[in-house]
Each structure stands twice: as structure tokens, then as C-alpha cells.
Amino acid sequence: MQLYNSETRRKEEFNPLNPAQVTMYCCGPTVYNYAHIGNMRTYIFEDLLGRTLRLRYPVKHVMNVTDVGHLVSDADDGEDKMEVGAAREGKSAWDIAKFYETKFFEDYDALHCTRPSVTSRATEHIQEMIALVQTLEEKGYTYRTSDGIYYDTSKFARYDALVGRSRLEGLKGGARVEMSEEKKNPTDFALWKFSPTDKKRQMEWDSPWGVGFPGWHVECSAMAMKYLGPTIDIHCGGIDHVSVHHTNEIAQSEAATGQKYVDYWVHGEFLVLRAGKMSKSGGTFVTLQTLRDKGYDPLDYRYLCLTAHYRTQLEFTYESLDSARKSLQTLRREVAKAQETALRQTAVSTARLGEMKAQFQAAMEDDLNAPKALAVVWEVLRGGDLNAAEKVEFVKFADGVLSLDLFRAPEEKKVALPEEIQQLLQARAEARAAKDYKKSDELRDALRAAGYAVKDTPQGQQVEKL
């Protein structure tokens, strides 16, 4: 299996630390608002990765839920996201976190994403975060300011591991944050923030440094290492996490343990609108419920995501979603047709079936080339190399990875049927029930001559006007 590693900037052969259990950590949602479909594209690609890995290995997948507020800017200042959500809706920060976590997983399930082995809430791991900060303090990587405990990035030699030396110089020059008077370096980041003295925060905890709350970056390191150990096979997230969040995770984790934190960094590209990147703050905010309200199925969106490689930007339009919906329905019709024909077949020739399965798996194991894997599915269903029974077996295998519910009955195209056509359909149904396939075929021809195409599915006859 080949994966593109953001740290080495090339595709590499995947060699797990322990083939008996691959470890994978994925950055989860900050539950102060609904997830938008750009967010969900990342979870779809991570689900594809997990499903592909499971063709060969058991996988332990950990995902965090950021249910404690972190500050809205990379400069470790600004408003707290959970407090913002609470003020917006007149609820407590705790209620906001619970509500939006529930909504997130409703969308996650609707997109057929596999639930993580461990779902790790930040508020349930404050002591682990404090312990990590204490370790860094003991090793001399921290300093105190008036508003918190900070990590001194100048003391960590590999701070440019993900971003590269040239981009790091840009960050140091102030491209990322404005230099505060108390920060030693522009790239230094908060490990623990002190609660403000002029107001009461809803989420705060006692610590060796005083009452406060953890910095955003520390939570992922603390929870990833708790459940997966000091070195992880794969760490995933969106491309926007590279320059700050994941860079800081490496710094604090490796400084604490003295070991490499992650072997393979895998990042997904943005979903974009013609107006730019999808963003909650920018007003370009489309949720899965938005798509449902417009009559789309969540799996229509999943199919759309599979038409583009996870490392390329995908432009979202309703025209492209319409095309994805149509393609998915056509696939389901092809599967239904193969199922119906397969009922009369018993022999399955495994040699060619095995070759097509191998082609599909090879595409997915080539850095998750889902568009190529989809092309293999179309080739199998539209081609003549496999008989119907083999096609059904192939789809069972492929849909275990793509998870498009390809055996779901396709949507019927509603047509008003004249009485004589209804009579022909009834007669054909009776002929099929009696296994009089010759008469059934004759009636199919009569229907076609009258301008109607009939297809047999496990759910019965489906009729389309020609």
C-alpha cells in the first residue's frame, strides 16, 4: 500500500509498526456549531483510508471531540469557540457541546463513515493534558507569561518537519501571528491558558499553574498517546492543520517522549465553492441537512467526494451533485439488474473475479485512488468479462470499501401507466411467478414496442417510459 506522507512530501510504501494492529488518529470536530460539508469531506476520506487498511490489517482508530473551547485565532487569543456558541444560542457551553456532538455523529453515520474505535472527548482528558504540560515543563520547553504557559519552539529542532524551512521562516517573520510582547518567538503556542480575572469562564479547571483551560494543540497529543502509544502509524486531518496544529503536535509530543510521534501524516484537501473555501465564519456554510432539505441523499454527496482524489481540491456545485446522484442511481440499477440475473446462475468463475477485485484493491491502495476504483466498478457492471453472479460478488467486495449502499433499490421514475400497460405488467409478473421466462420475455418485448422499458429488481418490476 502506498500513502502520500505530508512530512516527506512523497508517496511511500506503508509499513505499520505492528501489522497486528495499525494505529490511526484523526482530528475530530470542534462541537460549537454544525459541521459543514467541507468538514465532512475530510471524514469521508479518512473512512476510505480505514476501510482500505482493513482489507489487510486490524485498525485501531481514535478520534477526538473538541468539546472544550479553544481560542479562535492561532495567536492564542480572541474569543472561545464554546463560549461563542453558548452566547449565540442562550445555552451553557456544556449543552452546546453535547448537542453539536450528537448532530455531528448523525451526519457521520448518514455518510456511512465507520465509527472510531475510541471517541475521545477533550473534557474527559484534562488530567492527561496537564501531565503532558508538566513533562514539557520539567524538560525545559516551557515558559510562563501573564496569560498562560507557553511552548518555546526555538528549543525544538524539528519544528519545520511539516512546513519546511522556507515556510517556517515566513511564520517566524510574522505571517502567522502578530508578535506579542511576552512571546519569545512568533510561533510559540499556549499549552495552558489562565482564566481571565475579570469574568467567569464556563469551562475551567484547577492546575499546578492556576485555574485555566488547555491550549488547543495539547489535547490531541495527550489523547493520541494515551490510546495509541508514543509513536502512531497514521495521523490524519485537513490540509489546514499542517502549518499550525499538526506542526505543534509534533513539537510537544516528540519533546515529551524523545520518540518520533507519527510515521505517516495524511491530509485531505479543501472542498471549495466558486466564491472560495467553505467557511463557517465567511458565510459560505453548507451542511448535510442543507443537502437533505434540497432532496439529496447523504450518499449522493459521498459519491461526489469519491469522484476526486482526496489530495486535490473539489469544487462543490449543485450541478456536480446532481451528476453524482444520477451516477449513483445508475450504478444501483446495474447492480439490481445483475442481482436479478444472478438468481438463475449458480456457477461463479473465481479467476477473473479475483483479477477484478485485485484491480479495485490496487487502485485504493495507490494512495486511495477512489476515482480509479470507481472506474473499475463501472467496468465490471457494464462489461461482459464477468457473469451476473460474479458481478454481485464483486460489488459486495467493492462496496465494503466505497460504502455507497449499492444494493439499495434504485429510485423509481414515476410514470403514469395506461390501463393496457398495467395489464401487460400484471401478466408479466404472473409469468415470472410461474417461472415462465419465455412468456415473460415476450411480454417485455411487447412493453418495449409500446414505448416502455421494464427492469427486474429484487423489489419487483420497474418501468420507465422510453
Side-chain angles (χ1 to χ4, degrees):
M1 182 171 182
Q2 299 281 319
L3 285 176
Y4 184 87
N5 188 344
S6 298
E7 182 172 347
T8 61
R9 298 166 186 77
R10 65 175 183 268
K11 279 202 293 189
E12 298 178 349
E13 184 177 348
F14 175 64
N15 293 303
L17 293 164
N18 177 10
Q21 185 177 79
V22 169
T23 53
M24 181 169 76
Y25 184 88
C26 298
C27 285
T30 301
V31 285
Y32 73 104
N33 207 331
Y34 296 104
H36 59 59
I37 58 172
N39 302 138
M40 301 315 294
R41 184 194 182 196
T42 299
Y43 299 111
I44 290 170
F45 114 70
E46 291 167 351
D47 181 59
L48 284 176
L49 175 56
R51 289 174 181 272
T52 302
L53 287 166
R54 290 185 187 95
L55 296 176
R56 294 185 182 271
Y57 311 104
V59 177
K60 185 174 183 181
H61 169 200
V62 176
M63 183 172 73
N64 69 302
V65 173
T66 301
D67 60 345
V68 55
H70 63 77
L71 303 183
V72 296
S73 80
D74 292 331
D76 297 307
D77 59 16
E79 296 179 289
D80 178 298
K81 289 188 176 182
M82 301 308 299
E83 298 275 358
V84 168
R88 180 185 67 236
E89 300 184 26
K91 300 176 181 177
S92 75
W94 298 90
D95 288 340
I96 287 289
K98 183 177 180 180
F99 176 82
Y100 285 111
E101 179 184 337
T102 298
K103 292 300 180 183
F104 168 79
F105 278 112
E106 287 176 1
D107 287 350
Y108 191 87
D109 293 341
L111 289 166
H112 282 200
C113 294
T114 308
R115 287 284 187 116
S117 314
V118 177
T119 300
S120 178
R121 296 179 185 86
T123 52
E124 297 171 358
H125 296 81
I126 299 299
Q127 293 310 309
E128 287 84 354
M129 298 177 212
I130 289 173
L132 176 57
V133 178
Q134 286 180 304
T135 298
L136 292 169
E137 186 178 52
E138 291 165 4
K139 293 190 173 188
Y141 284 92
T142 70
Y143 61 93
R144 186 184 186 113
T145 71
S146 61
D147 70 342
I149 305 299
Y150 281 76
Y151 184 100
D152 186 343
T153 57
S154 68
K155 294 186 175 182
F156 184 68
R158 267 175 41 83
Y159 194 70
D160 63 341
L162 282 183
V163 297
R165 177 58 54 183
S166 59
R167 287 183 65 192
L168 180 61
E169 291 305 319
L171 296 178
K172 286 181 176 178
R176 186 184 104 194
V177 299
E178 292 182 9
M179 184 64 170
S180 70
E181 291 183 1
E182 293 185 89
K183 273 189 177 184
K184 295 182 178 180
N185 310 284
T187 52
D188 292 355
F189 57 93
L191 298 165
W192 187 264
K193 292 283 285 186
F194 303 139
S195 292
T197 57
D198 58 343
K199 62 180 178 180
K200 173 73 174 174
R201 280 178 52 86
Q202 295 186 56
M203 291 179 160
E204 59 184 15
W205 293 265
D206 289 328
S207 80
W209 313 282
V211 176
F213 55 101
W216 173 33
H217 315 295
V218 75
E219 72 170 84
C220 282
S221 291
M223 294 188 289
M225 293 191 291
K226 173 183 173 70
Y227 292 107
L228 300 175
T231 303
I232 303 163
D233 285 314
I234 299 171
H235 195 314
C236 296
I239 196 73
D240 52 323
H241 284 163
V242 170
S243 63
V244 181
H245 183 45
H246 290 166
T247 287
N248 290 346
E249 275 193 68
I250 292 173
Q252 64 201 8
S253 302
E254 295 187 4
T257 68
Q259 299 180 50
K260 189 174 184 182
Y261 177 45
V262 172
D263 279 344
Y264 301 86
W265 287 95
V266 185
H267 293 98
E269 258 289 359
F270 290 126
L271 181 79
V272 296
L273 304 174
R274 284 176 183 159
K277 183 171 76 78
M278 189 165 293
S279 163
K280 294 172 188 176
S281 60
T284 50
F285 186 13
V286 179
T287 68
L288 202 62
Q289 188 59 49
T290 307
L291 303 187
R292 286 193 186 99
D293 292 343
K294 291 180 178 291
Y296 297 98
D297 185 279
L299 294 186
D300 298 337
Y301 178 65
R302 184 178 175 103
Y303 186 98
L304 175 62
C305 289
L306 300 189
T307 63
H309 193 273
Y310 78 95
R311 286 194 293 110
T312 63
Q313 288 192 355
L314 172 61
E315 182 178 359
F316 175 80
T317 65
Y318 284 105
E319 291 80 8
S320 64
L321 188 58
D322 285 336
S323 179
R325 175 167 60 181
K326 182 178 179 181
S327 294
L328 182 54
Q329 286 301 316
T330 302
L331 268 186
R332 287 175 179 156
R333 290 190 187 97
E334 293 289 345
V335 172
K337 183 168 65 176
Q339 277 187 294
E340 178 64 21
T341 306
L343 294 175
R344 286 176 268 164
Q345 297 177 345
T346 55
V348 174
S349 173
T350 58
R352 185 58 178 160
L353 174 61
E355 289 176 15
M356 298 311 292
K357 284 184 176 180
Q359 283 189 32
F360 175 88
Q361 185 167 343
M364 290 306 302
E365 290 186 337
D366 181 14
D367 195 30
L368 304 182
N369 194 335
K372 186 174 181 179
L374 268 178
V376 177
V377 175
W378 281 103
E379 179 185 349
V380 165
L381 287 171
R382 290 273 174 90
D385 285 356
L386 301 182
N387 65 31
E390 289 175 305
K391 290 179 179 181
V392 170
E393 288 303 307
F394 172 85
V395 172
K396 287 178 183 177
F397 171 74
D399 206 32
V401 177
L402 302 180
S403 200
L404 292 167
D405 204 3
L406 293 178
F407 288 96
R408 183 196 299 180
E411 294 175 2
E412 293 186 35
K413 294 183 179 178
K414 302 294 184 183
V415 291
L417 299 177
E419 173 124 15
E420 61 270 23
I421 298 301
Q422 294 182 41
Q423 290 173 356
L424 285 172
L425 284 168
Q426 179 61 33
R428 186 170 182 276
E430 292 170 359
R432 291 186 61 75
K435 297 188 177 180
D436 187 348
Y437 296 115
K438 181 180 179 183
K439 184 176 180 181
S440 168
D441 289 343
E442 290 172 351
L443 289 164
R444 182 201 295 270
D445 292 341
L447 284 161
R448 178 169 284 277
Y452 293 86
V454 60
K455 294 182 180 181
D456 298 308
T457 77
Q459 289 73 36
Q461 300 179 107
Q462 291 185 350
V463 186
E464 294 180 16
K465 195 163 188 337
L466 295 174

